[in-house]
Amino acid sequence: MKVYLVRHTSVDVAPGTCYGQTDVPLRASFQEEAEACKKALQDTGMRFSRIYTSPLSRCTRLAAYCGFPEAERDERLKEMNMGEWEMQRFEEITDPRIQEWYNDYLRVRTTEGESFMDVLARVSDFFDHLDRTSGPALVFAHGGVLVAAQVYAGKVKLEDAMKALPPYGGMVEIDLPLPRLHPLMLAGTGSDVGKSVLAAALCRIFLQDGYHPAPFKAQNMALNSYATPEGLEIGRAQAVQAEAAGVPCHTDMNPLLLKPTSDHTSQVVLNGKPIGNRSAYAYFRTEGRDELRREVNQAFDRLAVRYNPVVMEGAGSISEINLKDTDLVNLPMARHAHADVILVADIDRGGVFASAYGSVALQTPEDRKRIKGIIVNKFRGDLRLFESGVKMMEEICGIPVLGVIPYYHDIYIEEEDSVELSLKQRKAVQGKVNVAVVLLRHLSNFTDFNMLEHDERVNLYYTNNVDDLMKADIILLPGSKSTIDDLYELRRNGVAQAILQARRNGATVMGICGGYQMMGQRIADPDGVEGSISQMPGLGLLPTETVIEGEKVTRQVRFAFLSSEEPNCTGYEIHMGRTSAVEGETLTPLVRLENGETDGCVVDRKCAGSYIHGILDNPEVIEWLLAPYAEKLDQPQLDYAAFKEEQYNKLADHVRKHLNMPLLYQILTQND
């Protein structure tokens, strides 16, 4: 845990005067010095959870100026007591003990006062009893206290103590060891209750409080996936949570990923690599579950050694008792991890009391004890109206409600589930660059368009309506889990013809991954990787052809865009297929990878495709895409990296404000 300590500003005391606990005045330069202190604190970027001050006015005044008038006053933070020597000039002190003090100020006390070791003892007592579960903390104090704090933290040797005396208005930072927190699992009363976003919020809160958290979901089902730095595949939600936690994503965070290929079948990705397709019936049989259970347990164990805490996410409802014997992700996983379980209930759906009570009541006595609290999520309206509801829920469930989290509209976190697409814009508007994403049946990785969606110059909408497509300035063909099937559907419903007409009318058309494959002359699937259709003509917009292959390409990439020499752009690839130029045609690549390979194809200023997911997260690419519509660009360019960081912090602030964090920390540290 980080503790920041600020020394008071310069005092209005004659040079050579001995003072310690006397409440002396400050110099007229206080405001100028205090403003510098305030800026230095702001520059740390920290959100201080606890603020303390010496009760002497030279510290309380600075604390108030810096925005903390309610800082907790603590006698242990006073300067050294100089006893009978207070406010005397050193040269006029006749006490014979002063020479002893000069020789060993560490251990010799001033007459009727203290030694440095006495100061160190009370400062040590302050830090020994400081709650270290949530941080960082801020302390306004005196030079002697700041020196003692550095000795306490092992930052300065005792014999070198006074060499560490900071100037007036100076600041020092010390690190105190944090307690080991229990793993925490967010389990749900159902699907889409907000577990993923709350997990991201807690990852960021723990990071802000000085911990080293990491996310974990044993088994995830999603089309929206992401490539790790090692070139392996995990669910997008865990990649987002890792970003919120400030750590690189890893397959241990999501060792088992199911990617639906139909209503009854999913591709199974284990430890980042596909191991085949399974029907739901075959997957949930008890045979073979021990191997998968062993793999996910081992992944958690590896994470638990490296991170503190591990923020776990369950899947769906914890009350599916018919799947209890084959469950890998909910309470059985919590038992293996010795995790504290927090139940997340969605009040927006209605029936929150029944869903919360039933979820607890249907567990075995052992598992019921593991559920330590409830979070009521997605509340709309006046929170005071649910105060009695909180008490009722606690009474019937027998566990505390840790918080009621209001629904929010102004925080944007990348979604994983395609159900979120129903909430997105669906129409063209006037005065902005209209960007239409073709709404495919098997659309994947729609997070490719998040940066554009939040760019104020752009109106991005999802549609498969031919009239709305014709109104678009730019048409984006997204990735697909079943490219040939989606291409067949585009031809059947008239969308393919609308895209071609829009291109003839001057619209930009760009494809990503499966969309890039569709834009070529043809797609072949000779081995039946995707299904029974062995070949399908493409849209004919690019001089390319694609062969679907069984081996999946997954990797993160750096690349130079178009004529750029420097590989300043980033993205990732997840695809099954190889795309090349049609015989007799010349292919102009869209990008050049850092390793010298090329990717994609560009025909002209308004027609291109690429395998790279996240290509539209790069400002250089965005500006190229929007440049033909310069007359509509009257807003500044979006800094997407800064935007995402702002959203994670806003989410953490929102959840922290409505969650009983002291109680949560108590749960995560107490012995059962």
Side-chain angles (χ1 to χ4, degrees):
M1 183 187 78
K2 290 189 180 300
V3 180
Y4 290 81
L5 299 103
V6 180
R7 188 183 182 189
H8 59 77
T9 58
S10 54
V11 296
D12 191 10
V13 175
T17 301
C18 176
Y19 71 94
Q21 295 191 358
T22 302
D23 221 351
V24 296
L26 296 169
R27 286 185 178 173
S29 58
F30 167 76
Q31 184 166 342
E32 179 182 348
E33 296 177 62
E35 187 62 32
C37 291
K38 184 176 182 179
K39 184 178 186 306
L41 286 172
Q42 291 172 343
D43 289 346
T44 66
M46 294 292 169
R47 290 169 169 77
F48 299 104
S49 60
R50 286 146 300 147
I51 299 94
Y52 302 91
T53 181
S54 159
L56 299 181
S57 63
R58 54 189 184 270
C59 295
T60 59
R61 186 178 172 189
L62 179 59
Y65 186 93
C66 291
F68 308 107
E70 303 301 322
E72 183 177 339
R73 303 183 182 198
D74 196 300
E75 295 286 330
R76 292 169 294 182
L77 298 175
K78 282 185 175 180
E79 182 59 285
M80 181 186 291
N81 183 354
M82 302 306 291
E84 294 180 358
W85 306 347
E86 285 276 348
M87 299 310 295
Q88 296 186 54
R89 294 178 61 81
F90 277 105
E91 61 186 27
E92 296 174 355
I93 297 175
T94 58
D95 189 335
R97 286 178 57 83
I98 195 168
Q99 191 57 51
E100 295 179 50
W101 184 77
Y102 282 148
N103 292 338
D104 188 7
Y105 72 91
L106 293 175
R107 297 168 182 82
V108 174
R109 292 188 172 114
T110 62
T111 301
E112 300 301 323
E114 293 178 306
S115 68
F116 178 79
M117 295 302 291
D118 293 327
V119 177
L120 179 59
R122 56 181 165 83
V123 170
S124 297
D125 185 68
F126 170 81
F127 285 117
D128 284 344
H129 292 89
L130 182 65
D131 176 15
R132 300 188 186 186
T133 57
S134 61
L138 175 61
V139 174
F140 293 90
H142 309 268
V145 173
L146 269 66
V147 169
Q150 293 175 85
V151 172
Y152 174 86
K155 192 173 182 178
V156 174
K157 294 180 180 179
L158 181 61
E159 56 270 23
D160 297 329
M162 295 315 293
K163 295 179 183 178
L165 181 66
Y168 290 117
M171 181 169 63
V172 298
E173 174 190 336
I174 62 173
D175 284 299
L176 303 179
L178 287 163
R180 188 79 187 173
L181 300 181
H182 307 162
L184 164 67
M185 173 178 279
L186 294 173
T189 58
S191 296
D192 195 36
V193 298
K195 299 184 296 294
S196 294
V197 172
L198 286 175
L202 287 172
C203 281
R204 178 50 60 104
I205 288 172
F206 289 133
L207 177 67
Q208 291 173 344
D209 288 354
Y211 290 89
H212 189 43
F216 176 80
K217 187 169 185 177
Q219 172 192 294
N220 198 356
M221 177 175 284
L223 282 175
N224 224 13
S225 60
Y226 190 77
T228 71
E230 298 80 17
L232 301 169
E233 193 174 6
I234 64 171
R236 182 77 189 193
Q238 281 63 63
V240 168
Q241 291 160 2
E243 194 170 59
V247 297
C249 61
H250 191 277
T251 56
D252 282 346
M253 298 172 183
N254 176 212
L256 191 55
L257 174 63
L258 306 179
K259 303 188 73 174
T261 56
S262 71
D263 291 342
H264 305 288
T265 306
S266 293
Q267 182 186 65
V268 181
V269 180
L270 180 62
N271 293 324
K273 296 180 179 180
I275 60 171
N277 291 348
R278 304 265 184 93
S279 69
Y281 178 78
Y283 179 79
F284 284 102
R285 288 190 308 173
T286 55
E287 293 84 353
R289 299 298 280 178
D290 288 344
E291 178 185 352
L292 293 177
R293 193 180 304 280
R294 182 168 58 251
E295 292 288 345
V296 299
N297 287 351
Q298 289 175 352
F300 170 83
D301 293 343
R302 290 189 292 268
L303 277 185
V305 171
R306 299 171 53 202
Y307 296 99
N308 175 32
V310 177
V311 180
M312 307 168 67
E313 182 186 339
S317 166
I318 61 170
S319 305
E320 309 294 351
I321 56 178
N322 58 311
L323 299 176
K324 180 179 175 182
D325 292 340
T326 57
D327 184 10
L328 301 175
V329 64
N330 288 309
L331 271 301
M333 190 69 237
R335 287 198 299 271
H336 172 80
H338 301 288
D340 293 324
V341 176
I342 305 299
L343 183 65
V344 180
D346 181 356
I347 195 170
D348 193 43
R349 295 182 169 190
V352 69
F353 292 99
S355 63
Y357 175 76
S359 296
V360 174
L362 285 172
Q363 305 307 314
T364 64
E366 177 190 0
D367 287 341
R368 204 174 301 140
K369 291 178 183 177
R370 195 165 291 284
I371 302 174
K372 302 296 176 61
I374 299 170
I375 295 175
V376 177
N377 199 23
K378 303 183 184 179
F379 184 87
R380 299 176 190 263
D382 190 331
L383 285 168
R384 292 173 296 181
L385 297 175
F386 196 65
E387 289 176 355
S388 61
V390 168
K391 295 177 182 178
M392 293 176 183
M393 185 171 288
E394 290 179 335
E395 288 174 1
I396 65 172
C397 294
I399 50 178
V401 173
L402 291 175
V404 180
I405 312 298
Y407 205 98
Y408 59 80
H409 298 281
D410 59 345
I411 304 172
Y412 304 97
I413 305 297
E414 290 186 356
E415 306 97 347
E416 176 181 65
D417 296 325
S418 57
V419 68
E420 297 294 336
L421 288 176
S422 63
L423 306 178
K424 294 182 181 292
Q425 175 64 266
R426 292 298 180 94
K427 298 288 184 181
V429 299
Q430 294 292 323
K432 292 190 176 185
V433 180
N434 282 298
V435 180
V437 179
V438 179
L439 191 58
L440 305 175
R441 290 201 304 177
H442 305 289
L443 189 155
S444 67
N445 292 78
F446 57 85
T447 48
D448 283 339
F449 313 111
N450 278 9
M451 181 171 176
L452 272 174
E453 185 176 359
H454 299 299
D455 193 316
E456 293 186 3
R457 303 171 295 177
V458 168
N459 171 56
L460 184 137
Y461 58 100
Y462 291 77
T463 186
N464 56 8
N465 180 285
V466 294
D467 291 333
D468 290 330
L469 283 170
M470 296 302 294
K471 297 174 185 176
D473 300 301
I474 299 170
I475 296 175
L476 298 176
L477 272 162
S480 167
K481 189 65 186 70
S482 299
T483 305
I484 293 178
D485 186 62
D486 276 337
L487 179 57
Y488 175 83
E489 180 65 15
L490 294 186
R491 290 191 173 283
R492 189 196 65 79
N493 62 17
V495 169
Q497 292 81 355
I499 293 171
L500 296 177
Q501 184 60 51
R503 161 70 172 155
R504 288 191 290 269
N505 293 347
T508 297
V509 180
M510 182 176 181
I512 298 175
C513 198
Y516 168 43
Q517 294 174 341
M518 293 180 195
M519 289 178 67
Q521 302 296 318
R522 57 182 167 270
I523 303 175
D525 185 11
D527 298 325
V529 173
E530 286 198 357
S532 59
I533 302 176
S534 61
Q535 186 165 301
M536 174 74 66
L539 299 179
L541 295 172
L542 300 176
T544 60
E545 59 183 3
T546 298
V547 177
I548 304 296
E549 298 174 335
E551 185 174 352
K552 180 179 288 189
V553 176
T554 56
R555 59 178 176 175
Q556 291 189 359
V557 294
R558 296 186 64 86
F559 61 91
F561 183 66
L562 288 177
S563 60
S564 175
E565 296 294 328
E566 295 297 323
N568 296 323
C569 299
T570 61
Y572 62 99
E573 293 181 46
I574 300 178
H575 61 89
M576 301 177 78
R578 176 175 46 83
T579 299
S580 57
V582 173
E583 185 176 354
E585 296 283 353
T586 300
L587 188 153
T588 302
L590 187 65
V591 308
R592 185 170 298 278
L593 304 184
E594 192 174 32
N595 63 5
E597 297 177 18
T598 60
D599 171 79
C601 174
V602 57
V603 171
D604 57 39
R605 197 69 183 77
K606 293 186 174 183
C607 187
S610 170
Y611 270 120
I612 299 174
H613 293 292
I615 190 171
L616 297 178
D617 290 350
N618 297 281
E620 184 178 345
V621 182
I622 291 291
E623 295 312 300
W624 174 83
L625 185 67
L626 299 182
Y629 312 97
E631 72 279 1
K632 296 184 178 182
L633 304 180
D634 58 356
Q635 295 290 332
Q637 179 181 338
L638 176 68
D639 183 340
Y640 193 48
F643 174 81
K644 288 199 291 184
E645 280 299 298
E646 179 186 15
Q647 300 312 304
Y648 290 136
N649 288 331
K650 285 174 66 175
L651 176 67
D653 290 346
H654 177 73
V655 172
R656 189 193 290 273
K657 179 181 178 181
H658 298 285
L659 196 61
N660 188 339
M661 287 303 300
L663 178 55
L664 179 60
Y665 277 120
Q666 180 182 331
I667 289 169
L668 298 179
T669 53
Q670 68 186 8
N671 295 322
D672 294 327

